[in-house]
Amino acid sequence: MRRPFVAGNWKMNTTAASGCELARAIAEAVPTSRDAVDVLVAPPLPYLDCVDDELAKSAVMLGAQNCYHEKEGAFTGEVSPQMLADLDVDYVILGHSERRHILGETDEDINKKVTAALAAGLGVILCVGETLEEREAGQTNEVLARQLSGGLKGLAADQLAGGVGGNDDLVLAYEPVWAIGTGKTATPEMAQEAHAFLRGKLAEGWGDDLAAATRIQYGGSVKPANAAELLAQPDVDGALVGGASLSAENFLPIVEAAFAQV
């Protein structure tokens, strides 16, 4: 059975004080054993260090929201995977729709980052998902296949699994763009259909074993009210949570819903 994985993406929110307070509340509430469910928070870059301090004695993992594909050099404002690893980061979120659609990242850009992050020993949460226009045009599977193959181009199955800290190196996150921050959510059936399609494409490209082992999170207006129904789907292995991860009162019930699945 794939271990559920709930990750909170704080995006460009919190202060040092509020972020550390939030991390502390989550760390205190999550069981210290990671045998059942993995939990991660991804604060803004400036707060990685202080949040890591709050998580130090807990089972909650530390995530970053982005990285660059070079180890070092004259790349003003960028952060390398090696720098993140130096800060005890476990996973980095790559290919998020906001980076694709607001900041113009291409599948080629994301592929370079995925490759560099894995080589640096980081786990990767690779985000894929369609816009409303693409869904209405019946292009969801085409978009998912293109983003998956583009993001993982040139990578072999043994580079995508096998573990940072006992975790799989690659996690996918299906995040329908039309459901992010809009209050709209894919129905459990829609989420399951997309997750099953992604698992099938993994099997085609990287083998049945990797496909069966890879966790696929759902991301798109996940809330305490809909988490249990979404997480009950057979191919939904957790959640990538945005707005609801900004308060312990909303995030922890989603974590509890994941524990209820095991």
Side-chain angles (χ1 to χ4, degrees):
M1 179 180 176
R2 293 178 296 272
R3 189 167 64 251
F5 188 175
V6 178
N9 177 15
W10 296 357
K11 306 187 181 183
M12 199 173 71
N13 293 293
T14 74
T15 63
S18 66
C20 289
E21 181 180 359
L22 174 57
R24 189 180 313 121
I26 294 169
E28 290 174 351
V30 173
T32 54
S33 171
R34 281 175 47 193
D35 293 341
V37 175
D38 282 340
V39 180
L40 174 145
V41 295
L45 177 67
Y47 309 142
L48 283 172
D49 205 27
C50 70
V51 167
D52 186 42
D53 289 342
E54 299 295 340
L55 303 180
K57 296 181 180 179
S58 79
V60 181
M61 294 184 291
L62 182 66
Q65 299 176 20
N66 186 41
C67 70
Y68 194 57
H69 65 270
E70 296 286 356
K71 292 182 179 179
E72 59 185 7
F75 306 104
T76 300
E78 296 293 347
V79 175
S80 72
Q82 288 74 16
M83 292 175 178
L84 296 180
D86 195 37
L87 289 173
D88 296 325
V89 167
D90 297 293
Y91 281 83
V92 58
I93 300 169
L94 298 173
H96 193 281
S97 64
E98 290 156 4
R99 299 211 56 92
R100 293 179 188 267
H101 298 290
I102 298 175
L103 298 168
E105 290 188 3
T106 66
D107 288 327
E108 182 180 3
D109 296 328
I110 294 160
N111 176 245
K112 291 178 181 177
K113 293 182 177 189
V114 170
T115 303
L118 292 173
L122 296 175
V124 168
I125 298 174
L126 173 61
C127 302
V128 297
E130 81 283 8
T131 65
L132 180 60
E133 293 75 15
E134 289 165 340
R135 171 163 281 275
E136 291 179 341
Q139 298 173 345
T140 296
N141 287 353
E142 176 185 342
V143 171
L144 296 183
R146 183 183 72 244
Q147 292 178 344
L148 183 66
S149 62
L152 300 182
K153 184 178 179 180
L155 291 164
D158 61 0
Q159 294 174 275
L160 303 178
V164 176
N167 300 297
D168 297 329
D169 284 336
L170 174 71
V171 174
L172 297 182
Y174 168 60
E175 43 161 32
V177 180
W178 48 271
I180 298 172
T182 64
K184 298 180 180 179
T185 309
T187 65
E189 294 75 20
M190 291 163 66
Q192 168 58 25
E193 182 180 10
H195 283 227
F197 175 79
L198 286 167
R199 203 172 301 285
K201 298 306 289 186
L202 281 173
E204 287 179 19
W206 294 271
D208 292 340
D209 289 345
L210 181 74
T214 299
R215 294 178 290 182
I216 308 176
Q217 300 171 321
Y218 172 76
S221 295
V222 181
K223 300 178 176 65
N226 60 28
E229 196 173 14
L230 287 163
L231 294 172
Q233 301 305 306
D235 285 295
V236 177
D237 305 311
L240 180 59
V241 186
S245 71
L246 294 175
S247 74
E249 292 77 12
N250 286 322
F251 186 64
L252 290 173
I254 299 171
V255 174
E256 291 169 6
F259 272 99
Q261 297 300 318
V262 299

